Amino acid sequence: MTESKLKGFIGTYTKGDSKGIYSFTLNTQEGKIEDIRVAAELENPTYLAISRDNQYLYSVVKDGENGGLAAFSISPSGELTEINRQLSPGASPCYVSVDGKNKYVFSANYHKGSVESHLINQENGSVLPAVSTMKHEGRGPDPRQDKPHSHYADLTPDEAYLAVVELGIDALITYKVEEDATLTKVKLLPLKAGSGPRHLVFHPNGRFAFIMTEFSSEVIVLDYQDGRFSEKQYISTIPEDFKENSQGSAIHISSDGRFVYAGNRGHNSITVFSVNQTTGELSFVERISSEGDWPRDFELDPSEQFIVGSNQESGNLVLYRRDEESGRLTLLDADISVPYPVCVKFLHA
């Protein structure tokens, strides 16, 4: 693949015409998405993670009455070949992540209110049985918070800790990751009651983090040090006068740490914030239409000249050009059909 042709993958809900994981190519020279095809047929691969060396892709998967993770090898041309599945009874996870050395895989399970850690077989990239399963307890004030709902589990920048965002109990939980993938609880930080925290992203300096909330449609700015977080700012992602249903979705940050992007399902928009590099606090830049219904995810491409968004309910991808100086987005194409798209991931640069 030349630099002007960037390979990406889409995780989907396999409803309607959707078959599983789709691949696509972003042509950065011409500013368009090409060559959309089914890369792997499996049920509900809603979230994906790609190893740092681009050799393996890990997906959540539903398999009959069981749920878990599937491992794939990625060919140089971007084809996927399934290696194995690691399943357990009940609902599948909603989030999967992999460490930088391709040693561990972590998953968050929304329905079970739990997180799991797995070792990776170093010879073939397969996922080994779970080492730790950490179940959470409690509830929140919103009717949708009748029990724990773990929504995100990913490593801190130093890869010493696992940060877990708990939507059901309005909390951010940190676990120490031992060498053998055992998880040991370090700290639980309560967040605003009823906010429904969903996803987290770190500033490249490793000192700030940003959480997107699902229910209150806010970004929470946090300070981070040695496995511990503290709250700093709450800032809304939707207009004050918008009273209809809107639920926060994805959050991403540019690699220079200057801009944070947050998705709003219902308001159907992406909000852009600039980041104060001294304090980490956010300032509003703009809000742009998602050009479809229920923007579940979006991703900056490796060149960071573009953002690719996914609208779950209208079944379309959206391509924006990104101004690296202002952070602002310009619509290029919204008529790119993929059924029930959820997650967007690119091969690493």
Side-chain angles (χ1 to χ4, degrees):
M1 287 247 144
T2 60
E3 278 302 308
S4 63
K5 301 269 183 142
L6 301 172
K7 178 65 77 174
F9 295 92
I10 308 286
T12 70
Y13 277 112
T14 47
K15 304 186 282 189
D17 296 333
S18 178
K19 303 282 189 223
I21 301 172
Y22 289 76
S23 63
F24 68 92
T25 301
L26 172 60
N27 185 328
T28 58
Q29 221 160 9
E30 296 183 25
K32 62 183 189 181
I33 287 175
E34 306 169 329
D35 195 26
I36 297 171
R37 59 175 74 184
V38 178
E41 292 198 20
L42 69 165
E43 193 176 352
N44 286 355
T46 53
Y47 213 84
L48 314 173
I50 296 171
S51 65
R52 180 61 54 187
D53 61 8
N54 293 329
Q55 283 195 286
Y56 303 106
L57 180 148
Y58 298 95
S59 168
V60 305
V61 62
K62 185 176 186 292
D63 192 339
E65 297 301 304
N66 299 319
L69 300 176
F72 296 85
S73 61
I74 307 173
S75 76
S77 61
E79 305 297 317
L80 298 181
T81 304
E82 187 166 331
I83 301 166
N84 82 320
R85 294 183 182 194
Q86 206 55 255
L87 303 167
S88 60
S92 51
C94 66
Y95 191 93
V96 58
S97 64
V98 59
D99 74 305
K101 294 177 180 168
N102 212 45
K103 184 177 176 181
Y104 310 114
V105 168
F106 305 97
S107 66
N109 196 303
Y110 178 90
H111 295 283
K112 294 179 179 179
S114 63
V115 295
E116 286 191 343
S117 59
H118 300 256
L119 286 168
I120 294 172
N121 182 324
Q122 295 302 294
E123 288 176 20
N124 65 2
S126 62
V127 182
L128 299 173
V131 174
S132 284
T133 301
M134 310 302 282
K135 289 188 178 295
H136 303 138
E137 293 178 358
R139 59 183 301 155
D142 190 284
R144 295 164 289 187
Q145 295 175 307
D146 57 327
K147 61 179 185 177
H149 291 302
S150 308
H151 217 311
Y152 167 100
D154 218 326
L155 289 166
T156 55
D158 58 10
E159 301 210 330
Y161 302 94
L162 188 71
V164 176
V165 179
E166 239 301 341
L167 180 145
I169 60 174
D170 297 314
L172 174 54
I173 306 169
T174 317
Y175 293 97
K176 182 90 175 78
V177 182
E178 307 297 344
E179 191 67 23
D180 65 353
T182 300
L183 300 178
T184 309
K185 187 173 173 182
V186 174
K187 176 87 174 161
L188 185 150
L189 175 71
L191 301 169
K192 186 198 285 186
S195 61
R198 177 185 171 90
H199 274 200
L200 179 149
V201 69
F202 276 94
H203 190 283
N205 69 12
R207 293 187 290 112
F208 308 134
F210 308 90
I211 289 177
M212 182 68 193
T213 69
E214 182 166 322
F215 300 155
S216 65
S217 298
E218 292 172 298
V219 177
I220 309 170
V221 181
L222 306 119
D223 283 321
Y224 171 76
Q225 191 175 3
D226 297 331
R228 293 169 189 273
F229 295 86
S230 57
E231 296 161 285
K232 188 166 224 174
Q233 179 193 22
Y234 281 74
I235 185 168
S236 181
T237 64
I238 57 174
E240 212 174 291
D241 59 358
F242 186 80
K243 302 303 179 195
E244 295 165 54
N245 175 43
S246 192
Q247 298 174 29
S249 58
I251 185 165
H252 296 288
I253 189 168
S254 56
S255 63
D256 60 9
R258 293 176 60 210
F259 300 101
V260 163
Y261 298 83
N264 305 299
R265 298 171 296 174
H267 188 261
N268 293 340
S269 61
I270 295 174
T271 304
V272 185
F273 298 100
S274 64
V275 184
N276 181 310
Q277 300 303 298
T278 306
T279 66
E281 293 188 3
L282 301 183
S283 303
F284 176 80
V285 173
E286 72 165 351
R287 199 176 285 113
I288 187 169
S289 171
S290 71
E291 301 293 332
D293 188 21
W294 218 243
R296 185 64 180 259
D297 194 19
F298 56 89
E299 184 75 296
L300 285 81
D301 80 294
S303 76
E304 301 202 347
Q305 297 173 63
F306 301 91
I307 281 182
V308 176
S310 63
N311 288 299
Q312 180 184 310
E313 294 307 307
S314 49
N316 65 309
L317 302 184
V318 183
L319 181 63
Y320 304 91
R321 188 178 292 281
R322 191 180 85 91
D323 185 296
E324 293 176 66
E325 281 308 305
S326 69
R328 291 174 178 268
L329 304 179
T330 305
L331 176 67
L332 294 180
D333 190 0
D335 194 22
I336 308 159
S337 184
V338 173
Y340 297 100
V342 177
C343 168
V344 185
K345 292 289 178 191
F346 280 94
L347 291 181
H348 301 285

Coordinates of all heavy atoms in Angstrom, one line a residue, residues 163-242:
A163 N -7.5 1.3 32.2 CA -8.6 2.3 32.6 C -9.9 1.8 32.1 O -10.1 1.5 30.9 CB -8.3 3.7 31.9
V164 N -10.9 1.7 32.9 CA -12.2 1.1 32.6 C -13.3 2.1 32.9 O -13.4 2.7 34.0 CB -12.5 -0.2 33.4 CG1 -13.9 -0.7 33.1 CG2 -11.4 -1.2 33.1
V165 N -14.1 2.4 31.8 CA -15.1 3.4 31.9 C -16.4 2.6 32.2 O -16.8 1.8 31.4 CB -15.2 4.3 30.7 CG1 -16.4 5.3 30.8 CG2 -13.9 5.1 30.5
E166 N -17.1 3.0 33.3 CA -18.3 2.2 33.7 C -19.5 3.1 33.6 O -19.8 4.0 34.5 CB -18.1 1.8 35.2 CG -18.2 0.3 35.4 CD -19.5 -0.3 35.0 OE1 -20.5 0.4 34.9 OE2 -19.5 -1.6 34.8
L167 N -20.3 2.9 32.5 CA -21.5 3.7 32.3 C -22.6 3.5 33.3 O -23.3 4.4 33.6 CB -22.0 3.4 30.8 CG -23.2 4.1 30.3 CD1 -23.1 4.4 28.8 CD2 -24.5 3.3 30.6
G168 N -22.7 2.2 33.7 CA -23.8 1.9 34.6 C -23.7 2.5 36.0 O -24.8 2.7 36.7
I169 N -22.5 2.7 36.5 CA -22.4 3.2 37.9 C -21.6 4.5 37.9 O -21.2 5.0 39.0 CB -21.6 2.2 38.8 CG1 -20.2 1.8 38.2 CG2 -22.5 0.9 38.9 CD1 -19.4 0.9 39.2
D170 N -21.5 5.2 36.7 CA -20.9 6.6 36.7 C -19.5 6.5 37.4 O -19.2 7.3 38.3 CB -21.8 7.6 37.4 CG -23.1 7.8 36.7 OD1 -23.1 7.9 35.4 OD2 -24.1 7.8 37.4
A171 N -18.6 5.7 36.8 CA -17.3 5.6 37.5 C -16.2 5.3 36.5 O -16.4 4.8 35.4 CB -17.3 4.5 38.5
L172 N -15.0 5.7 36.9 CA -13.8 5.4 36.1 C -12.9 4.5 37.1 O -12.5 5.0 38.2 CB -13.0 6.7 35.7 CG -11.6 6.5 35.1 CD1 -11.7 5.6 33.9 CD2 -11.1 7.9 34.7
I173 N -12.7 3.3 36.6 CA -12.0 2.3 37.5 C -10.6 2.0 36.9 O -10.5 1.8 35.7 CB -12.8 1.0 37.6 CG1 -14.2 1.3 38.1 CG2 -12.1 0.0 38.6 CD1 -15.2 0.2 38.1
T174 N -9.6 2.0 37.7 CA -8.2 1.7 37.3 C -7.8 0.4 37.8 O -7.9 0.1 39.0 CB -7.3 2.8 37.7 OG1 -7.9 4.1 37.5 CG2 -6.0 2.7 36.9
Y175 N -7.2 -0.5 37.0 CA -6.6 -1.8 37.4 C -5.1 -1.8 37.1 O -4.7 -1.3 36.0 CB -7.3 -2.9 36.7 CG -8.7 -3.1 37.1 CD1 -9.7 -2.6 36.3 CD2 -9.1 -3.9 38.2 CE1 -11.1 -2.8 36.6 CE2 -10.4 -4.1 38.6 CZ -11.4 -3.5 37.8 OH -12.7 -3.7 38.1
K176 N -4.3 -2.3 38.0 CA -2.9 -2.6 37.7 C -2.9 -3.9 36.8 O -3.6 -4.8 37.1 CB -2.1 -2.9 39.0 CG -0.6 -3.1 38.7 CD 0.1 -1.8 38.8 CE 1.6 -2.1 38.7 NZ 2.1 -2.4 37.3
V177 N -2.1 -3.9 35.7 CA -1.9 -5.0 34.9 C -0.6 -5.7 35.2 O 0.5 -5.2 35.0 CB -1.9 -4.6 33.4 CG1 -1.8 -5.8 32.5 CG2 -3.2 -3.8 33.0
E178 N -0.7 -6.9 35.8 CA 0.5 -7.7 36.1 C 1.1 -8.3 34.8 O 0.4 -8.4 33.8 CB 0.2 -8.8 37.2 CG -0.5 -8.2 38.4 CD 0.3 -7.2 39.2 OE1 1.6 -7.2 39.0 OE2 -0.2 -6.5 40.1
E179 N 2.3 -8.8 34.9 CA 3.0 -9.4 33.8 C 2.2 -10.6 33.2 O 2.2 -10.8 32.0 CB 4.4 -9.9 34.2 CG 5.3 -10.3 33.1 CD 5.7 -9.2 32.2 OE1 5.7 -8.0 32.7 OE2 6.1 -9.5 31.1
D180 N 1.5 -11.3 34.0 CA 0.7 -12.5 33.5 C -0.7 -12.1 33.1 O -1.5 -13.0 32.9 CB 0.7 -13.6 34.6 CG -0.1 -13.2 35.8 OD1 -0.5 -12.0 35.9 OD2 -0.3 -14.1 36.7
A181 N -1.0 -10.8 33.0 CA -2.3 -10.3 32.6 C -3.3 -10.3 33.7 O -4.5 -9.9 33.5 CB -2.9 -11.0 31.4
T182 N -2.9 -10.6 35.0 CA -3.8 -10.5 36.1 C -4.1 -9.0 36.4 O -3.2 -8.2 36.3 CB -3.2 -11.1 37.4 OG1 -2.9 -12.5 37.1 CG2 -4.1 -11.0 38.6
L183 N -5.4 -8.7 36.7 CA -5.8 -7.4 37.0 C -6.0 -7.2 38.5 O -6.6 -8.0 39.1 CB -7.1 -7.1 36.3 CG -7.1 -7.1 34.7 CD1 -8.5 -6.8 34.2 CD2 -6.1 -6.2 34.1
T184 N -5.5 -6.1 39.0 CA -5.7 -5.8 40.4 C -6.2 -4.4 40.6 O -5.6 -3.4 40.0 CB -4.3 -5.9 41.2 OG1 -3.7 -7.1 40.9 CG2 -4.5 -5.7 42.7
K185 N -7.4 -4.2 41.2 CA -8.0 -2.9 41.3 C -7.1 -1.9 42.1 O -6.6 -2.2 43.2 CB -9.4 -3.1 42.0 CG -10.2 -1.8 42.0 CD -11.6 -2.1 42.5 CE -12.4 -0.8 42.7 NZ -13.8 -1.1 43.2
V186 N -7.0 -0.7 41.5 CA -6.2 0.3 42.1 C -7.1 1.4 42.7 O -7.0 1.9 43.8 CB -5.2 0.9 41.1 CG1 -4.5 2.1 41.7 CG2 -4.2 -0.1 40.6
K187 N -8.1 1.9 41.9 CA -8.8 3.1 42.3 C -10.2 3.1 41.5 O -10.2 2.8 40.4 CB -8.0 4.3 41.9 CG -8.6 5.7 42.2 CD -8.4 6.2 43.6 CE -9.0 7.6 43.7 NZ -9.2 8.0 45.1
L188 N -11.2 3.6 42.2 CA -12.5 3.9 41.6 C -12.8 5.4 41.8 O -12.8 5.9 42.9 CB -13.6 3.1 42.2 CG -15.0 3.3 41.5 CD1 -15.8 2.0 41.6 CD2 -15.8 4.4 42.1
L189 N -12.9 6.1 40.7 CA -13.2 7.6 40.7 C -14.7 7.7 40.4 O -15.1 7.5 39.2 CB -12.4 8.3 39.7 CG -12.7 9.8 39.6 CD1 -12.3 10.6 40.9 CD2 -12.0 10.4 38.4
P190 N -15.5 8.2 41.3 CA -16.9 8.5 41.0 C -17.0 9.7 40.1 O -16.3 10.7 40.3 CB -17.6 8.8 42.3 CG -16.6 8.4 43.4 CD -15.2 8.5 42.7
L191 N -17.9 9.6 39.0 CA -18.1 10.7 38.1 C -19.5 11.3 38.3 O -20.3 10.7 39.1 CB -17.9 10.3 36.7 CG -16.5 9.7 36.4 CD1 -16.4 9.1 35.0 CD2 -15.4 10.8 36.5
K192 N -19.9 12.3 37.6 CA -21.2 13.0 37.8 C -22.3 12.0 37.7 O -22.4 11.2 36.7 CB -21.4 14.1 36.8 CG -22.7 14.9 37.1 CD -23.1 15.7 35.8 CE -22.2 16.9 35.6 NZ -22.7 17.8 34.5
A193 N -23.2 11.9 38.7 CA -24.3 11.0 38.8 C -25.2 11.1 37.6 O -25.6 12.3 37.3 CB -25.1 11.1 40.1
G194 N -25.5 10.0 36.9 CA -26.4 10.1 35.8 C -25.8 10.5 34.4 O -26.5 10.6 33.4
S195 N -24.5 10.8 34.5 CA -23.8 11.3 33.2 C -23.6 10.1 32.2 O -23.6 10.3 31.0 CB -22.5 11.9 33.5 OG -21.6 11.0 34.2
G196 N -23.4 8.9 32.7 CA -23.3 7.7 31.8 C -22.0 7.8 31.0 O -22.0 7.8 29.8
P197 N -20.8 7.8 31.7 CA -19.5 7.9 31.0 C -19.3 6.6 30.1 O -19.7 5.5 30.4 CB -18.5 7.8 32.1 CG -19.2 7.2 33.3 CD -20.6 7.6 33.2
R198 N -18.8 6.9 28.9 CA -18.8 5.9 27.8 C -17.4 5.5 27.3 O -17.0 4.3 27.3 CB -19.7 6.4 26.7 CG -19.8 5.5 25.5 CD -20.6 6.2 24.4 NE -20.5 5.4 23.1 CZ -21.4 4.4 22.8 NH1 -22.3 4.1 23.6 NH2 -21.2 3.8 21.7
H199 N -16.7 6.5 26.8 CA -15.3 6.2 26.2 C -14.3 7.2 26.7 O -14.7 8.3 27.1 CB -15.4 6.2 24.7 CG -15.8 4.9 24.0 ND1 -15.6 4.7 22.7 CD2 -16.4 3.9 24.5 CE1 -16.0 3.4 22.4 NE2 -16.6 3.0 23.5
L200 N -13.1 6.9 26.6 CA -12.0 7.7 27.1 C -10.9 7.8 26.1 O -10.6 6.8 25.3 CB -11.5 7.1 28.4 CG -10.3 7.8 29.1 CD1 -10.4 7.6 30.6 CD2 -8.9 7.3 28.7
V201 N -10.2 8.9 26.0 CA -9.0 9.1 25.2 C -8.0 9.9 26.0 O -8.3 10.8 26.7 CB -9.4 9.8 23.8 CG1 -9.8 11.2 24.0 CG2 -8.2 9.6 22.8
F202 N -6.7 9.5 25.8 CA -5.6 10.2 26.5 C -5.0 11.3 25.6 O -4.9 11.1 24.4 CB -4.5 9.3 26.9 CG -4.8 8.6 28.2 CD1 -5.4 7.3 28.2 CD2 -4.4 9.1 29.4 CE1 -5.6 6.7 29.4 CE2 -4.6 8.5 30.6 CZ -5.3 7.3 30.6
H203 N -4.6 12.4 26.2 CA -3.7 13.4 25.5 C -2.4 12.7 25.3 O -1.9 11.9 26.1 CB -3.6 14.6 26.4 CG -2.9 15.8 25.7 ND1 -1.6 15.9 25.5 CD2 -3.5 16.9 25.2 CE1 -1.3 17.0 24.9 NE2 -2.5 17.7 24.7
P204 N -1.7 13.0 24.1 CA -0.4 12.4 23.9 C 0.7 12.7 25.0 O 1.6 12.0 25.1 CB 0.1 13.0 22.6 CG -0.9 14.1 22.2 CD -2.2 13.8 23.0
N205 N 0.5 13.8 25.8 CA 1.4 14.0 26.9 C 1.2 13.1 28.1 O 2.1 13.0 29.0 CB 1.4 15.5 27.4 CG 0.1 15.8 28.1 OD1 -0.7 15.0 28.5 ND2 -0.2 17.1 28.3
G206 N 0.2 12.3 28.1 CA -0.1 11.3 29.1 C -0.6 11.8 30.4 O -0.8 11.1 31.3
R207 N -0.7 13.1 30.5 CA -1.1 13.8 31.8 C -2.6 14.1 31.8 O -3.1 14.4 32.9 CB -0.3 15.0 32.0 CG 1.2 14.7 32.3 CD 2.0 16.0 32.7 NE 2.1 16.9 31.6 CZ 1.5 18.1 31.6 NH1 0.7 18.5 32.5 NH2 1.7 18.9 30.5
F208 N -3.2 14.2 30.6 CA -4.6 14.6 30.6 C -5.4 13.4 29.9 O -4.9 12.7 29.1 CB -4.9 15.8 29.7 CG -4.1 17.0 30.1 CD1 -3.4 17.8 29.1 CD2 -3.9 17.4 31.4 CE1 -2.6 18.9 29.4 CE2 -3.1 18.5 31.8 CZ -2.5 19.3 30.8
A209 N -6.7 13.3 30.3 CA -7.6 12.3 29.7 C -8.9 13.0 29.5 O -9.3 13.9 30.2 CB -7.7 11.1 30.5
F210 N -9.7 12.4 28.5 CA -11.0 13.0 28.2 C -12.0 11.9 28.1 O -11.8 10.9 27.3 CB -10.9 13.8 26.9 CG -9.8 14.8 26.8 CD1 -8.5 14.4 26.4 CD2 -10.0 16.1 27.2 CE1 -7.5 15.3 26.3 CE2 -8.9 17.0 27.2 CZ -7.7 16.6 26.8
I211 N -13.1 12.0 28.8 CA -14.2 11.0 28.8 C -15.4 11.6 28.1 O -15.8 12.7 28.4 CB -14.6 10.5 30.2 CG1 -13.5 9.7 30.8 CG2 -15.9 9.7 30.1 CD1 -13.8 9.2 32.2
M212 N -16.0 10.8 27.1 CA -17.3 11.2 26.5 C -18.4 10.5 27.3 O -18.3 9.3 27.6 CB -17.3 10.7 25.1 CG -18.6 11.1 24.3 SD -18.7 12.9 24.1 CE -20.4 13.1 23.6
T213 N -19.4 11.3 27.7 CA -20.5 10.8 28.4 C -21.7 10.5 27.5 O -21.9 11.3 26.5 CB -21.0 11.7 29.6 OG1 -21.6 12.9 29.0 CG2 -19.9 12.1 30.5
E214 N -22.4 9.4 27.7 CA -23.5 9.1 26.8 C -24.8 9.8 27.2 O -25.5 10.3 26.3 CB -23.8 7.6 26.9 CG -24.9 7.1 26.0 CD -24.9 5.6 25.8 OE1 -23.8 5.0 25.7 OE2 -26.0 5.0 25.7
F215 N -25.1 9.9 28.5 CA -26.4 10.5 28.9 C -26.4 12.0 28.9 O -27.4 12.6 28.6 CB -26.9 9.9 30.2 CG -27.0 8.4 30.2 CD1 -26.9 7.6 31.3 CD2 -27.3 7.7 29.0 CE1 -27.1 6.3 31.3 CE2 -27.4 6.3 29.0 CZ -27.3 5.6 30.1
S216 N -25.4 12.6 29.5 CA -25.3 14.0 29.6 C -24.7 14.7 28.5 O -24.7 16.0 28.4 CB -24.6 14.4 30.9 OG -23.2 14.0 30.9
S217 N -24.1 14.0 27.5 CA -23.5 14.6 26.3 C -22.5 15.6 26.7 O -22.6 16.8 26.3 CB -24.5 15.2 25.3 OG -25.4 14.2 24.9
E218 N -21.5 15.2 27.5 CA -20.4 16.1 27.9 C -19.1 15.4 27.7 O -19.0 14.2 27.7 CB -20.6 16.4 29.4 CG -21.8 17.2 29.8 CD -22.0 17.3 31.3 OE1 -22.2 16.3 31.9 OE2 -21.9 18.5 31.8
V219 N -18.0 16.2 27.6 CA -16.7 15.7 27.8 C -16.2 16.1 29.2 O -16.3 17.2 29.6 CB -15.7 16.3 26.7 CG1 -14.3 15.8 26.9 CG2 -16.2 15.9 25.3
I220 N -15.6 15.1 29.8 CA -15.0 15.3 31.1 C -13.5 15.3 30.9 O -12.9 14.4 30.4 CB -15.4 14.1 32.1 CG1 -16.9 13.8 32.2 CG2 -14.8 14.4 33.5 CD1 -17.2 12.6 33.0
V221 N -12.9 16.4 31.4 CA -11.5 16.6 31.3 C -10.9 16.1 32.6 O -11.4 16.5 33.7 CB -11.0 18.0 31.0 CG1 -9.5 18.1 30.9 CG2 -11.7 18.5 29.7
L222 N -9.9 15.3 32.6 CA -9.2 14.7 33.8 C -7.7 14.9 33.8 O -7.1 14.9 32.7 CB -9.6 13.2 33.9 CG -11.0 12.8 33.9 CD1 -11.2 11.9 32.7 CD2 -11.5 12.1 35.2
D223 N -7.2 15.0 35.0 CA -5.7 14.9 35.1 C -5.4 13.5 35.4 O -6.2 12.8 36.1 CB -5.2 15.8 36.3 CG -5.2 17.2 36.0 OD1 -4.8 17.6 34.8 OD2 -5.5 18.1 36.8
Y224 N -4.2 13.0 35.0 CA -3.9 11.6 35.2 C -2.4 11.5 35.7 O -1.5 12.2 35.1 CB -4.0 10.8 33.9 CG -3.4 9.4 34.1 CD1 -4.1 8.4 34.8 CD2 -2.2 9.1 33.5 CE1 -3.6 7.2 35.0 CE2 -1.6 7.8 33.7 CZ -2.3 6.9 34.5 OH -1.8 5.6 34.7
Q225 N -2.2 10.6 36.7 CA -0.8 10.4 37.1 C -0.8 9.0 37.8 O -1.6 8.8 38.8 CB -0.3 11.5 38.0 CG 1.2 11.3 38.3 CD 1.8 12.5 39.1 OE1 1.0 13.4 39.5 NE2 3.0 12.5 39.3
D226 N 0.0 8.1 37.4 CA 0.3 6.9 38.1 C -1.0 6.1 38.5 O -1.2 5.7 39.7 CB 1.1 7.1 39.4 CG 2.5 7.7 39.1 OD1 3.0 7.4 38.0 OD2 3.0 8.4 39.9
G227 N -1.8 5.9 37.5 CA -3.0 5.0 37.8 C -4.2 5.8 38.4 O -5.2 5.1 38.8
R228 N -4.0 7.1 38.7 CA -5.1 7.8 39.4 C -5.5 9.0 38.5 O -4.7 9.8 38.0 CB -4.6 8.2 40.7 CG -4.4 7.0 41.7 CD -3.7 7.3 42.9 NE -3.3 6.1 43.6 CZ -4.1 5.5 44.5 NH1 -5.3 6.0 44.7 NH2 -3.8 4.4 45.1
F229 N -6.8 9.2 38.5 CA -7.4 10.3 37.8 C -8.1 11.3 38.7 O -8.5 11.0 39.8 CB -8.5 9.8 36.8 CG -8.0 8.9 35.7 CD1 -7.8 7.6 35.9 CD2 -7.7 9.5 34.5 CE1 -7.4 6.7 34.9 CE2 -7.3 8.6 33.4 CZ -7.1 7.3 33.7
S230 N -8.2 12.6 38.3 CA -9.0 13.6 39.0 C -9.7 14.4 38.0 O -9.2 14.8 37.0 CB -8.1 14.4 40.0 OG -7.1 15.1 39.2
E231 N -11.0 14.8 38.3 CA -11.8 15.6 37.4 C -11.4 17.1 37.4 O -10.9 17.6 38.4 CB -13.3 15.6 37.9 CG -13.9 14.2 37.8 CD -15.2 14.2 38.7 OE1 -15.0 14.1 39.9 OE2 -16.3 14.2 38.2
K232 N -11.5 17.7 36.2 CA -11.1 19.0 36.0 C -12.1 19.9 35.4 O -12.3 21.1 35.8 CB -9.8 19.0 35.1 CG -9.1 20.3 35.0 CD -7.8 20.1 34.4 CE -6.7 20.9 35.1 NZ -5.4 20.6 34.7
Q233 N -12.9 19.4 34.4 CA -13.8 20.2 33.6 C -14.9 19.3 33.0 O -14.6 18.2 32.6 CB -13.1 21.0 32.5 CG -14.0 21.8 31.6 CD -13.3 22.3 30.3 OE1 -12.3 21.7 29.9 NE2 -13.8 23.4 29.7
Y234 N -16.1 19.8 33.0 CA -17.2 19.2 32.2 C -17.7 20.2 31.2 O -17.9 21.4 31.5 CB -18.4 18.9 33.1 CG -18.3 17.6 34.0 CD1 -17.4 17.6 35.1 CD2 -19.0 16.5 33.7 CE1 -17.3 16.5 35.9 CE2 -18.8 15.3 34.4 CZ -18.0 15.3 35.5 OH -17.9 14.2 36.3
I235 N -17.7 19.8 29.9 CA -18.2 20.7 28.9 C -19.1 20.0 27.9 O -18.9 18.9 27.5 CB -16.9 21.3 28.1 CG1 -17.4 22.4 27.1 CG2 -16.1 20.2 27.5 CD1 -16.2 23.2 26.5
S236 N -20.2 20.7 27.6 CA -21.3 20.0 26.8 C -20.9 19.9 25.3 O -20.2 20.8 24.8 CB -22.6 20.9 26.9 OG -23.6 20.2 26.1
T237 N -21.4 18.9 24.7 CA -21.1 18.6 23.3 C -22.2 19.0 22.4 O -22.1 19.0 21.2 CB -20.7 17.2 23.0 OG1 -21.8 16.3 23.3 CG2 -19.5 16.7 23.9
I238 N -23.4 19.3 23.0 CA -24.6 19.7 22.2 C -25.1 21.0 22.6 O -24.8 21.5 23.7 CB -25.7 18.6 22.3 CG1 -26.1 18.4 23.8 CG2 -25.3 17.3 21.7 CD1 -27.3 17.5 24.0
P239 N -25.9 21.7 21.7 CA -26.4 23.1 22.1 C -27.3 23.0 23.3 O -28.0 22.0 23.5 CB -27.2 23.5 20.8 CG -26.7 22.6 19.7 CD -26.3 21.3 20.4
E240 N -27.2 24.1 24.1 CA -28.0 24.2 25.3 C -29.5 24.0 25.1 O -30.2 23.5 25.9 CB -27.7 25.6 25.9 CG -27.7 25.6 27.4 CD -27.3 26.9 28.0 OE1 -26.1 27.3 27.9 OE2 -28.2 27.6 28.6
D241 N -30.0 24.5 23.9 CA -31.4 24.5 23.6 C -31.9 23.2 23.0 O -33.1 23.1 22.6 CB -31.8 25.7 22.8 CG -31.1 25.8 21.4 OD1 -30.2 24.9 21.2 OD2 -31.3 26.7 20.7
F242 N -31.0 22.2 22.8 CA -31.4 21.0 22.2 C -32.0 20.1 23.2 O -31.2 19.6 24.1 CB -30.2 20.3 21.4 CG -30.6 19.1 20.6 CD1 -31.2 19.2 19.4 CD2 -30.4 17.8 21.2 CE1 -31.6 18.1 18.7 CE2 -30.8 16.7 20.4 CZ -31.4 16.8 19.2

